[in-house]
Amino acid sequence: MTARSSLRLKLALSVLAAFLLSIVFSWLLHNRLAERDIYSLIDSAFENVRSEIIDCVNERMVRQCMAVREQLDDGHPVDTDSLQALAREMRVTEISVANQDGDIVASSVPDYLAHDGKPAFNFVTAGGKAEDMMCLVHGQETEYCQPFRSNTANGAWRKFVGVWRPQGGFVEIGCDGASLRSLARSSIVDLFRNWRVGDSGGIVVTTATGLVLSDYEEPNREGTQWQEPDESFYWRRGEIESFPVYVMIPRKSAVVRRNVLVGSTATMNGLALVFVAILVGCVISAFVRQQMRAQAAKELEMAKDIQLSALPKVFPPFPDETRFDIVASMDTAKEVGGDFYDFYFTGMDRVLFLVADVSGKGVPAAMFMMRAKTLIKSAAQTGKPLADAFAEANDALCEGNTSNTFVTVWAGELNTRTGRVAFVNAGHNPPIVRGGGVARYLKTKPSLVLGAMPGIRYGVEELQLAPGDVIYLFTDGIIEQPGPSGEPYGEDRLLQALSSIGRAKGDVLASVLADVRRHASGAEQADDCTQLMISYRGEPDTTTYEYAPTMDGLAKASADLAALLAPVPEKYRNQLLVAADEVAANIVKYSGATRWSLTVELVHHPDGVRLVVSDDGKAFDPLDVRDPDTTLCAADRKIGGLGIFIVKKTMSPVTYKRRGGINILTMGKDYGD
Amino acid sequence: MTVAVNGRVDTVTALELEAGLKLDGANLVVLDLAGVPYMSSAGLRLLLTAHKAMLAKGGELQIANLQPAVREVLDITGFSGILNLIG
C-alpha cells in the first residue's frame, strides 16, 4: 500500500507542476497577446486620429480658401505683392488663381507666373498631383484638398486646398507646416480632449517644437514642453498633417486585462488537470492492480517450484533395494499449498517415509515446508529414535515461528529386515494399510502438529508388515476434493479405491488420482494432492556363487543360474540367462579378475529377480560404453558392445558400483506380483 | 543344406558351435534354430561371421525357426534387418 500512496503523491506533484507550467505558459502567451492587442488598438486609434485631423485641417483650410476667394471677388488686387500681403493676412503661405484651362493667372509666388519667356504654371501639364485640382474647373467638385506632402514643383512641404470660382477657374491656397499648424491649431486643441483609447489611453498632439497642443490626461499642460512617454506606456508617434501625434495606453491597464485572462485560463487549466489527474490515477491504479496480479502469479509459480524442487522425484529411488518399494507423487493445485513427502535411510536397515501438510498457502507455506522438511530430515538422520527426532524438529520449528504456521506429518520408519514399522502421527490424516487383500485406515490417537508449541513429546506406535503389505499415505487434498455437488471425495471412496485397484505396482497412485478426478468431474483441483506408498517385499531368497574367471567357470555359472531360475517364467529366465552370460563373459575375457561371483536374489511382492555380478578385475563401468549403431549393414557391423547393449535393453534397473576394489553390477527384472 | 542347432548359444557353447559348423560346399545353408532357447552376443558374432562368409562366396545363409528369446535379441541389436530370417 505504501507503493500506491507514494504513487498518489507523485501524481499530485506532477499535476501541481503541470498546473504551474500551464500558468507560466499562459502568462507568457497572454502577455504576448495582450501586447499585440494593445498595438493593434493603438494602430486603429491612430488611423482614426489621422482621419479626424485631416478632416479638421481640410475644413479649416477650405474655410480659409473661401475667405480668400471672397476677398478676391470683392476686388482685392491680384498683383504678386498684394497677394503676398493677403497671404500673410490670411496666415497662409501662398495664394494662386487659376483660369479655366488650369493656367495660373495670379499668384503670390512669382515663379508660378509667366516670366522671362517661360509660360505660367499649368495644373494640367505640371505633372504630379497638381492635375487633381482640375476637378474644380470640370464642375465635379466645388472644393478640393490635397494632403500635406512634399511638393513636386520645388520640394517644399505644402498642403494645397482649392475652391472653385463661379466665373471660371479656381482659387488655391497652400500652407507650409507652420502656417498649417497656426491655422488649424485651435480646432485641434479641442478635438482630442475627450478621446479615449481603450480604457484609459488617449491622444496627445504637440507642435513641431514639442509644445503640447492637446493632452487627454492633463488639459492644463497645454503649451508646456512635451516629454516622450516612458516605460509605463505603450505608445506610437506619428505626424499627421504636420502635427506630431502620440497614441498612448498605460501599461497597467494592459496588465489588468492580461491578469484577468491568465487567471481565467489558469482556473480552467486547473480544473482540466485535476480531471485528467483523476482519470490518469484510475488508469494507473488499474495497471498497478494488473501488475500486482501478475507478480502474485509469478510468486505462486516460484512457491510451486520451491515445493516441487525439494522433493525426491526419481523412482525407484533405491534401485538396489529389494526389500521394499516406494512411490510418491504430488499434484499441486493452482493455489500452492505446503504439502510434501520425503523418504530416506536413517540407518543400515531403516528407511523413514513421511507425508506432511503445512498450514496456509503460497510462498510462506512453501518456505515453511522447506524448513520443516530439512529439520525433520536432519533430526531423523542422526539415528535418534523417531520420538526424539520429532521432538527435536518440533522445537527447532517453533523457534521464531511468529506466523504460527504449523505442519501435520505422518512418518513411519520401516525396518527393512523385519518389516516392523515405528510411526508417529503429528496431527495428520491416518494412512491406509493394505495386507492380505484387506485395506483399512490405521487410526491412532494423533500427537500435536509440528511447530505449534515447543517441548512436545511424540508418541510412537508400531505395526508389523508382512511381505506384500503396503502403507498408503496421503494429504487431505485427496479426500477433501469436492465433487460437482460439493460433496468431498471422502475416506470411504479412497478406501474403496485402494481395495479394488489392482496390485500392479506403480500405477496405484495414478489410479487413485484418476478416481479423485472422476469424482471432481471437471471441478478445479482444490488443494495439493500428495500420496506416498511403501510396499514391503520382505527378504529375497538369496544365493551366491563364486567362480574362476575361466570358460569352465562360465559354463558352471550358466548351469547354476538355469537351475535357480527354474521357477521363473521362461521369457524372463532366458533374458536373465543372456544378461548374465554377457556380463560374465566380459569379466572372464577382459577384466583380469582373479575371481568373480554371482548373487541371485529372488524377490517377491511383486516377483522379480536381481542378479549381482561382482569381480575384482580392473574398474569398468559397462554403462559408460557407447551404444552400437544397430542400423549399419552387415559388412559394417561389429560385435563389440552388443552384449552390454542387450543387457541395458532387457534388464531394469541396471546399476554399477565400484566398492573396495570390486566391480558390482546389479541387474533387476520385475515381472509381476 | 540344413543345419539344426540344439541348446543354448552363449559364450561357452558358441565356441563349440563355431568349431562344429561346417558351411563348405553348399550355396544355400539353412540354419534351423528351433532347438535354441536363447542366444547371447557370442551367438550373434557367429551368425554374422557365417552370413558374411556365405555372401563372399556368392551363397546365402537363411536362419529359420527362431524362438522368442532369440528373436528378441536379434531385434534389439538390429540383426533381424541384416540376416535372412525365414519361418
Side-chain angles (χ1 to χ4, degrees):
Chain A
M1 281 305 111
T2 42
R4 277 176 92 174
S5 60
S6 94
L7 189 77
R8 286 211 183 112
L9 184 69
K10 275 182 201 158
L11 198 61
L13 283 177
S14 53
V15 166
L16 191 67
F19 179 64
L20 292 176
L21 254 171
S22 85
I23 290 181
V24 169
F25 179 75
S26 86
W27 189 84
L28 288 171
L29 182 75
H30 285 297
N31 233 3
R32 289 289 301 274
L33 285 178
E35 217 160 77
R36 214 184 60 184
D37 284 353
I38 293 286
Y39 279 118
S40 83
L41 187 65
I42 286 175
D43 287 348
S44 83
F46 195 85
E47 289 313 309
N48 285 340
V49 169
R50 178 195 301 282
S51 72
E52 205 62 38
I53 288 179
I54 288 171
D55 283 354
C56 176
V57 169
N58 285 356
E59 195 241 279
R60 181 70 191 85
M61 277 194 56
V62 166
R63 210 148 29 89
Q64 205 66 358
C65 196
M66 283 175 171
V68 169
R69 184 182 65 183
E70 203 173 316
Q71 293 268 342
L72 295 177
D73 286 350
D74 284 352
H76 192 283
V78 294
D79 61 287
T80 299
D81 288 342
S82 302
L83 283 180
Q84 280 176 351
L86 182 60
R88 272 194 299 280
E89 185 194 331
M90 299 302 284
R91 290 187 289 158
V92 300
T93 312
E94 51 189 74
I95 299 173
S96 301
V97 181
N99 64 13
Q100 197 66 14
D101 299 324
D103 291 323
I104 288 187
V105 292
S107 177
S108 63
V109 181
D111 272 359
Y112 292 161
L113 299 168
H115 61 96
D116 306 333
K118 220 174 129 205
F121 180 93
N122 180 279
F123 281 92
V124 182
T125 59
K129 294 284 180 186
E131 198 181 355
D132 294 349
M133 214 45 101
M134 292 301 288
C135 63
L136 294 171
V137 297
H138 298 137
Q140 290 154 332
E141 301 287 347
T142 55
E143 54 199 57
Y144 183 76
C145 303
Q146 285 186 331
F148 182 66
R149 58 182 161 85
S150 173
N151 199 339
T152 42
N154 52 15
W157 278 76
R158 290 284 186 280
K159 181 177 176 70
F160 290 106
V161 170
V163 295
W164 75 302
R165 302 185 81 188
Q167 62 270 44
F170 57 87
V171 176
E172 182 208 59
I173 59 171
C175 285
D176 61 11
S179 58
L180 197 59
R181 281 190 291 274
S182 85
L183 258 185
R185 173 186 195 131
S186 58
S187 327
I188 290 203
V189 166
D190 291 333
L191 198 54
F192 299 113
R193 193 157 281 161
N194 295 313
W195 265 51
R196 281 292 174 272
V197 179
D199 298 328
S200 50
I203 313 291
V204 172
V205 185
T206 71
T207 64
T209 51
L211 296 175
V212 176
L213 267 183
S214 168
D215 186 341
Y216 74 103
E217 226 173 4
E218 293 175 56
N220 299 337
R221 212 161 59 181
E222 277 157 24
T224 61
Q225 185 62 41
W226 171 248
Q227 305 284 332
E228 293 227 320
D230 60 15
E231 281 294 294
S232 62
F233 288 93
Y234 292 104
W235 57 278
R236 175 180 167 185
R237 180 192 186 278
E239 281 197 12
I240 303 170
E241 301 287 333
S242 85
F243 292 97
V245 173
Y246 294 86
V247 179
M248 351 188 340
I249 294 177
R251 262 178 200 274
K252 63 172 184 290
S253 79
V255 166
V256 168
R257 234 168 88 88
R258 180 200 63 208
N259 286 353
V260 167
L261 280 170
V262 169
S264 66
T265 309
T267 311
M268 294 298 287
N269 282 0
L271 283 173
L273 278 171
V274 166
F275 180 72
V276 166
I278 289 170
L279 207 70
V280 168
C282 287
V283 168
I284 286 180
S285 74
F287 178 72
V288 165
R289 268 200 297 278
Q290 194 203 335
Q291 288 286 302
M292 281 165 83
R293 270 201 296 276
Q295 179 68 21
K298 213 168 106 184
E299 277 177 12
L300 277 183
E301 210 49 49
M302 245 163 60
K304 220 176 251 191
D305 287 350
I306 292 172
Q307 207 184 356
L308 287 172
S309 65
L311 303 179
K313 280 185 288 291
V314 179
F315 296 100
F318 313 113
D320 293 349
E321 188 51 59
T322 53
R323 295 183 197 133
F324 69 92
D325 273 334
I326 283 185
V327 285
S329 76
M330 181 164 84
D331 242 54
T332 50
K334 194 175 169 195
E335 192 178 11
V336 182
D339 276 16
F340 66 95
Y341 62 78
D342 210 353
F343 45 78
Y344 33 82
F345 277 93
T346 50
M348 190 54 168
D349 299 315
R350 290 191 303 158
V351 64
L352 187 130
F353 53 97
L354 62 88
V355 156
D357 186 357
V358 174
S359 65
K361 307 253 179 222
V363 177
M367 301 306 280
F368 194 84
M369 167 246 167
M370 286 298 286
R371 279 187 68 212
K373 181 181 175 296
T374 313
L375 287 170
I376 294 171
K377 187 170 185 176
S378 59
Q381 282 191 324
T382 56
K384 284 193 179 87
L386 200 52
D388 296 348
F390 262 60
E392 186 183 312
N394 177 53
D395 289 348
L397 273 173
C398 286
E399 260 175 53
N401 182 14
T402 49
S403 63
N404 287 322
T405 308
F406 60 86
V407 57
T408 70
V409 188
W410 200 102
E413 194 174 36
L414 170 72
N415 184 320
T416 60
R417 216 164 266 291
T418 63
R420 195 122 194 104
V421 176
F423 63 89
V424 170
N425 182 358
H428 200 79
N429 323 59
I432 291 173
V433 179
R434 193 173 69 189
V438 180
R440 64 181 173 92
Y441 280 98
L442 183 60
K443 293 205 169 164
T444 55
K445 188 170 174 291
S447 305
L448 188 65
V449 295
L450 292 185
M453 195 188 292
I456 299 292
R457 298 175 60 83
Y458 287 87
V460 173
E461 301 191 47
E462 294 208 338
L463 168 73
Q464 178 63 50
L465 295 182
D469 288 358
V470 304
I471 305 179
Y472 170 84
L473 278 55
F474 61 95
T475 55
D476 52 16
I478 300 254
I479 50 173
E480 283 170 10
Q481 173 64 49
S485 60
E487 189 200 355
Y489 182 68
E491 289 195 334
D492 291 348
R493 280 195 188 79
L494 180 60
L495 194 62
Q496 183 123 36
L498 271 179
S499 307
S500 58
I501 289 167
R503 289 174 163 208
K505 185 174 81 100
D507 287 330
V508 175
L509 302 187
S511 305
V512 170
L513 214 53
D515 198 47
V516 173
R517 294 249 163 85
R518 257 197 304 282
H519 175 74
S521 56
E524 196 175 329
Q525 187 183 334
D527 199 356
D528 293 352
C529 288
T530 305
Q531 326 172 68
L532 180 148
M533 193 171 79
I534 184 163
S535 319
Y536 181 59
R537 304 173 78 171
E539 283 287 342
D541 301 329
T542 305
T543 317
T544 301
Y545 301 99
E546 200 160 299
Y547 303 104
T550 58
M551 283 294 154
D552 196 35
L554 268 184
K556 273 198 187 115
S558 284
D560 290 339
L561 191 57
L564 263 182
L565 296 182
V568 174
E570 188 188 3
K571 178 184 173 192
Y572 307 112
R573 187 172 64 226
N574 284 335
Q575 287 177 338
L576 285 158
L577 285 164
V578 169
D581 182 59
E582 300 295 358
V583 174
N586 270 344
I587 293 170
V588 170
K589 287 184 191 162
Y590 308 116
S591 75
T594 61
R595 59 204 168 92
W596 62 281
S597 70
L598 173 66
T599 299
V600 183
E601 295 175 349
L602 295 174
V603 296
H604 313 287
H605 312 292
D607 288 340
V609 175
R610 280 188 358 127
L611 300 177
V612 183
V613 185
S614 310
D615 69 270
D616 63 353
K618 62 185 177 214
F620 171 65
D621 179 358
L623 301 179
D624 262 359
V625 176
R626 213 156 56 123
D627 290 343
D629 185 349
T630 57
T631 60
L632 296 176
C633 68
D636 297 332
R637 287 303 298 262
K638 304 244 163 29
I639 287 300
L642 275 183
I644 295 299
F645 185 61
I646 293 168
V647 170
K648 283 203 274 190
K649 288 286 178 189
T650 55
M651 298 290 116
S652 173
V654 181
T655 59
Y656 167 83
K657 280 197 284 269
R658 177 142 178 117
R659 190 177 288 161
I662 308 287
N663 295 311
I664 304 168
L665 189 74
T666 305
M667 298 171 284
K669 189 77 202 174
D670 279 352
Y671 50 87
D673 201 338
Chain B
M1 180 173 80
T2 298
V3 179
V5 183
N6 276 305
R8 64 177 203 267
V9 181
D10 61 14
T11 309
V12 176
T13 55
L15 294 174
E16 298 163 19
L17 180 60
E18 193 173 12
L21 192 60
K22 295 280 176 274
L23 300 177
D24 305 337
N27 260 343
L28 173 66
V29 175
V30 178
L31 208 55
D32 185 347
L33 300 186
V36 177
Y38 67 89
M39 178 183 282
S40 74
S41 61
L44 296 181
R45 191 178 67 83
L46 206 62
L47 292 186
L48 187 65
T49 309
H51 178 77
K52 284 184 180 172
M54 291 300 288
L55 281 183
K57 68 176 190 180
E60 187 184 353
L61 177 71
Q62 292 185 345
I63 300 175
N65 300 326
L66 298 175
Q67 297 237 32
V70 179
R71 177 97 212 184
E72 185 188 20
V73 165
L74 291 185
D75 284 344
I76 287 172
T77 54
F79 271 50
S80 36
I82 297 171
L83 305 173
N84 302 315
L85 306 182
I86 56 168

